Amino acid sequence: MSSPIKTPGVITCKAAVAWGPGEPLVLEEVEVDPPNPMEIRVKVVCTSLCRSDVTQWESKAQPALFPRIFGHEASGIVESVGEGVNEFEVGDHVLTVFIGECKSCKHCLSGKSNICQTLGLERRGLMHSDNKTRFSIKGRPVYHYCAVSSFSEYTVVHSGCAVKISQTAPMDRICLLSCGVAAGLGAAWKVADISKGSTVVIFGLGTVGLSVAQGAKLRGASRIIGVDTNPQKYEKGKAFGVTEYINPDECNEPVQQVVKRMTDGGADFSFECVGDTGIVSTALQSCCDGWGLTVTLGVPKMRPEVSAHYALLLSGRTLKGSLFGGWKPKSDLPQLAEKYLRELVFLRVEVILKRSPSSQITT
């Protein structure tokens, strides 16, 4: 006779809790509720820090959403599943994602958007399903961030906001695909659709900007110009495909003028990866007349409004926004993860072959 299915209970674990805007995170014991219907509880194995976490932690725009657990780029293992969940089992390896895919709303069915109407970007610090939290400290609710909250040993997410990955994927690397790296690659491939031989300029060489550079390199861009005030970023950027570098602090004229002179009138594609709406305008001015395309990816800390002279658009330039690189989490992320794993295996084979004497190499 089979044993009855054990119903998951409340878990007590450690989490980094922010008690107020800009206040230091405190390692606290938190209670994590079991998953509700269509939710899963995940043991977080690895999580990375995204600039948007810092921006929202520092922001005083929503002071009521504290205490709060930040973090949204994570890999983990399914600890328990809620009622109605069929695609995940206990022990599955997953990526958490800050936007979901229900596969049934207008946007999910359109083939034109990844902005799910049901599981879109959550800004109220609550779960999508019932507008409540799954965290508490001594009975006091603790707010979520982007319905993920990965700065906790355990978290609860909607099953539509998680993606199953291979158990061979290195958790400390693959977690970057749940936001920064995927956002940059998607901006280059899906949103801008960079073509071979193109000239590209990237403002900001952090995780997202370097991922844009990598995507542009893989698409065959002829020139990839990195713009950053940190000169060390250029050396890092070379490994990702950056061919030239501009430090705005060392320029005697506006950066856009430097770019236009270097590129005979402007780049084919420009990317704003800083989170500064002023740089959006600079990036728009840095691309060429007629077909120049600017993609903005950053989350601004202040001044959310974008301003630009109408003539920039009248002359044929295009400004596009990009959320998560245009990827649909459920539909697209598994293939992206598999591509990464194939490249990882290839690199490992290359290393083995280079280290092995030729007499020992067999086919």
Side-chain angles (χ1 to χ4, degrees):
M1 182 177 178
S2 60
S3 58
I5 298 174
K6 186 178 179 180
T7 303
V10 175
I11 285 179
T12 299
C13 69
K14 297 287 187 181
V17 179
W19 287 92
E23 294 184 13
L25 305 187
V26 180
L27 198 61
E28 303 275 13
E29 282 201 346
V30 300
E31 292 81 45
V32 187
D33 290 342
N36 277 11
M38 299 309 298
E39 296 176 351
I40 60 175
R41 188 161 59 188
V42 177
K43 179 181 179 181
V44 177
V45 176
C46 292
T47 185
S48 52
L49 177 65
C50 179
R51 178 68 210 183
S52 61
D53 290 306
V54 178
T55 297
Q56 293 302 313
W57 164 64
E58 293 177 336
S59 174
K60 297 181 180 179
Q62 295 178 303
L65 297 187
F66 288 89
R68 197 173 195 183
I69 299 174
F70 287 96
H72 62 279
E73 282 186 326
S75 57
I77 301 172
V78 176
E79 177 271 338
S80 56
V81 299
E83 181 183 346
V85 175
N86 298 315
E87 62 177 310
F88 297 107
E89 297 179 350
V90 173
D92 283 345
H93 289 202
V94 296
L95 291 176
T96 61
V97 284
F98 65 94
I99 56 171
E101 182 183 353
C102 73
K103 296 188 176 183
S104 60
C105 72
K106 175 182 176 180
H107 278 250
C108 285
L109 295 175
S110 70
K112 303 175 183 179
S113 168
N114 67 340
I115 314 296
C116 178
Q117 291 173 299
T118 304
L119 300 172
L121 189 60
E122 211 294 314
R123 295 183 173 92
R124 297 171 298 169
L126 306 170
M127 292 296 290
H128 289 97
S129 56
D130 61 0
N131 295 321
K132 296 180 180 179
T133 74
R134 302 290 180 266
F135 296 104
S136 61
I137 297 177
K138 297 178 181 179
R140 180 177 179 178
V142 178
Y143 289 98
H144 298 246
Y145 178 62
C146 289
V148 176
S149 294
S150 57
F151 292 172
S152 174
E153 291 179 313
Y154 288 85
T155 189
V156 176
V157 300
H158 194 283
S159 59
C161 296
V163 177
K164 188 186 299 187
I165 57 173
S166 169
Q167 295 195 7
T168 64
M171 292 286 210
D172 61 336
R173 300 290 192 273
I174 202 76
C175 66
L176 292 171
L177 281 181
S178 65
C179 183
V181 171
L185 290 173
W189 293 345
K190 290 180 69 68
V191 179
D193 193 18
I194 292 174
S195 53
K196 186 176 181 179
S198 299
T199 300
V200 176
V201 58
I202 303 166
F203 292 83
L205 297 178
T207 300
V208 175
L210 292 175
S211 299
V212 171
Q214 187 176 40
K217 177 183 178 181
L218 291 171
R219 276 294 181 91
S222 61
R223 298 175 70 184
I224 304 173
I225 304 167
V227 182
D228 202 292
T229 55
N230 183 351
Q232 295 180 355
K233 295 290 185 71
Y234 180 38
E235 292 305 314
K236 294 181 180 179
K238 288 179 182 178
F240 290 84
V242 175
T243 59
E244 297 155 81
Y245 171 73
I246 300 173
N247 186 339
D249 292 343
E250 298 176 353
C251 296
N252 296 320
E253 58 184 331
V255 174
Q256 58 267 33
Q257 296 300 329
V258 177
V259 173
K260 292 173 78 170
R261 189 173 62 253
M262 291 173 64
T263 57
D264 188 25
D268 299 304
F269 301 94
S270 64
F271 295 84
E272 183 280 315
C273 306
V274 178
D276 186 327
T277 52
I279 294 180
V280 174
S281 179
T282 300
L284 190 60
Q285 294 176 66
S286 299
C287 63
C288 66
D289 291 339
W291 63 82
L293 173 63
T294 296
V295 180
T296 177
L297 296 86
V299 178
K301 293 177 64 175
M302 55 187 69
R303 297 199 323 271
E305 298 82 10
V306 175
S307 62
H309 197 284
Y310 82 98
L312 295 174
L313 303 176
L314 196 63
S315 62
R317 292 175 175 86
T318 301
L319 174 62
K320 297 185 72 173
S322 174
L323 181 65
F324 197 48
W327 301 113
K328 289 187 173 184
K330 294 285 193 182
S331 302
D332 299 329
L333 215 52
Q335 291 93 326
L336 192 60
E338 285 300 317
K339 179 178 177 61
Y340 163 71
L341 289 176
R342 288 196 301 271
E343 293 296 325
L344 187 63
V345 170
F346 173 78
L347 289 173
R348 285 173 176 169
V349 171
E350 286 287 294
V351 170
I352 291 171
L353 292 177
K354 288 180 180 178
R355 290 178 177 176
S356 302
S358 58
S359 60
Q360 295 181 6
I361 299 176
T362 59
T363 58

